[in-house]
């Protein structure tokens, strides 16, 4: 089990639909739009319904049913300026960004937003995104080595007056970033998220990241990742936090929720899902121990392209709250959520699901206090 205090509330993030096609690769109706006006309204709705974070997606070209995409960092800043409390995580690719340039962008965005910007460092899995832009495509573990250096450079620049770094991918000499990001209570610098399933990703999560994002996982799969990442963290005296991806289908009855899931899969865009599967499973299986992202995902899993169905946040508000609390017990600090119809379902979450989660958290905390007193 996690050492996270039971009285620390579970945090919630949502996937920003800044990419066309919604969060499932299916022809089912998705009352979600990738444009700015929709997303501005959604961000304001989310921060009023229990969401503390939003994650902007990063794509550089059409893939798996998504023909259009807004750039992540500029879209993230626009959402920050349209909200008051929401923290927005901009996804970025090492190899397509120079870390000192990103560090400068983040510092500026941090000042403009009052200290609410974060980054998600994505090592990359789609070869075509790099080769189409004339950038070299590294082997799997090399991409994660580059990401580790990228994160170390960001942290060095944000926290040192005369930043120095000598690595295999990046070199920084006597660089003084001014202004630095804002001094915000509870953080040493803007938060750094990083995800993946592979051994290399878990090592990075423990050694350098503030947050480790997990693809959708069942209970045992998530617990196994938490234990391994924490073991890497313990070796260097760090304590990362954990986010878990999940696609939420909350309905008044379990039957209705399960029927929605069945319809999503039945109407899957098969050519797009199969093309995605071919690309990502090659990437996942390219690791020596075959533990990369999506290496064991089924066709149905990949209809939600980050294995969100596996987390099984599907059913009534009570059923979903029970699963959320169990994931919290197993180490989750944050749930990253996707929806079929974002605006309506974010509101439903705030009205019907979140209050039950908070009630169950209070009960869990009371039980743990009694146990500790014995």
């Amino acid at each position: 089990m996690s050492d996270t205090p039971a009285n620390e509330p579970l945090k919630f993030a949502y996937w920003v639909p800044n990419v066309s096609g919604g969060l499932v690769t299916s022809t089912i109706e998705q009352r979600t739009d990738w444009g700015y006006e929709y997303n501005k309204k959604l961000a304001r709705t989310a921060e009023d319904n229990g969401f503390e974070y939003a994650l902007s997606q990063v794509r550089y070209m059409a893939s798996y049913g998504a023909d259009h995409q807004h750039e992540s960092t500029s879209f993230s800043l626009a959402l920050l300026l349209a909200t008051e409390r929401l923290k927005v995580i901009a996804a970025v690719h090492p190899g397509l960004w120079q870390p000192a340039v990103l560090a400068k962008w983040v510092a500026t965005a941090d000042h403009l937003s009052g200290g609410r910007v974060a980054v998600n460092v994505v090592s990359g899995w789609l070869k075509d995104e790099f080769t189409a832009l004339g950038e070299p495509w590294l082997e799997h573990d090399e991409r994660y080595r580059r990401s580790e250096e990228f994160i170390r450079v960001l942290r060095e620049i944000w926290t040192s007056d005369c930043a120095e770094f000598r690595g295999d991918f990046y070199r920084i000499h006597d660089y003084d970033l001014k202004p630095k990001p804002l001094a915000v209570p509870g953080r040493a610098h803007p938060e750094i998220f990083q995800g993946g399933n592979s051994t290399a990703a878990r090592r990075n999560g423990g050694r350098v990241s503030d947050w480790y994002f997990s693809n959708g996982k069942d209970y045992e799969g998530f617990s196994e990742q938490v234990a391994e990442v924490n073991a890497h963290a313990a070796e260097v005296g760090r304590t990362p936090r954990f986010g878990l991806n999940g696609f939420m289908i909350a309905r008044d009855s379990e039957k209705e929720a399960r029927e929605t899931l069945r319809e999503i899969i039945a109407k899957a865009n098969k050519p797009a899902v199969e093309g995605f599967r071919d690309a990502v499973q090659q990437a996942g299986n390219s690791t020596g121990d075959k533990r990369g992202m999506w290496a064991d995902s089924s066709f149905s899993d990949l209809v939600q392209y980050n294995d969100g169905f596996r987390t099984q946040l599907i059913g009534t508000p009570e059923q979903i709250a029970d699963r959320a609390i169990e994931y919290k017990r197993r180490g989750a600090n944050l749930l990253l959520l996707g929806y079929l119809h974002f605006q309506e379902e974010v509101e439903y979450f705030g009205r019907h699901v979140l209050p039950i989660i908070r009630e169950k958290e209070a009960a869990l905390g009371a039980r743990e206090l009694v146990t500790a007193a014995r």
Side-chain angles (χ1 to χ4, degrees), residues 198-275:
S198 67
T199 298
R202 299 175 194 207
R203 183 172 59 248
N204 277 10
R207 290 175 59 85
V208 296
S209 304
D210 300 316
W211 287 84
Y212 176 83
F213 265 144
S214 173
N215 253 21
K217 288 287 181 183
D218 61 16
Y219 291 148
E220 295 305 319
F222 180 66
S223 292
E224 185 260 338
Q225 283 190 330
V226 168
E228 186 170 338
V229 172
N230 275 333
H232 288 300
E235 293 173 356
V236 293
R238 301 188 69 254
T239 306
R241 296 163 73 78
F242 293 88
L244 172 66
N245 178 60
F247 191 84
M248 182 174 289
I249 306 176
R251 300 292 187 268
D252 293 340
S253 70
E254 182 181 9
K255 180 181 179 182
E256 183 184 0
R258 292 290 168 185
E259 176 57 28
T260 299
L261 175 62
R262 186 206 63 76
E263 184 181 359
I264 291 170
I265 295 171
K267 293 181 177 179
N269 181 336
K270 291 183 180 180
V273 175
E274 288 169 354

Side-chain angles (χ1 to χ4, degrees), residues 43-60:
R44 291 170 175 170
T45 299
E47 70 177 356
D48 289 337
N49 281 276
F51 285 86
E52 188 171 333
Y53 295 86
L55 173 61
S56 294
Q57 302 176 66
V58 59
R59 310 261 186 92
Y60 286 93

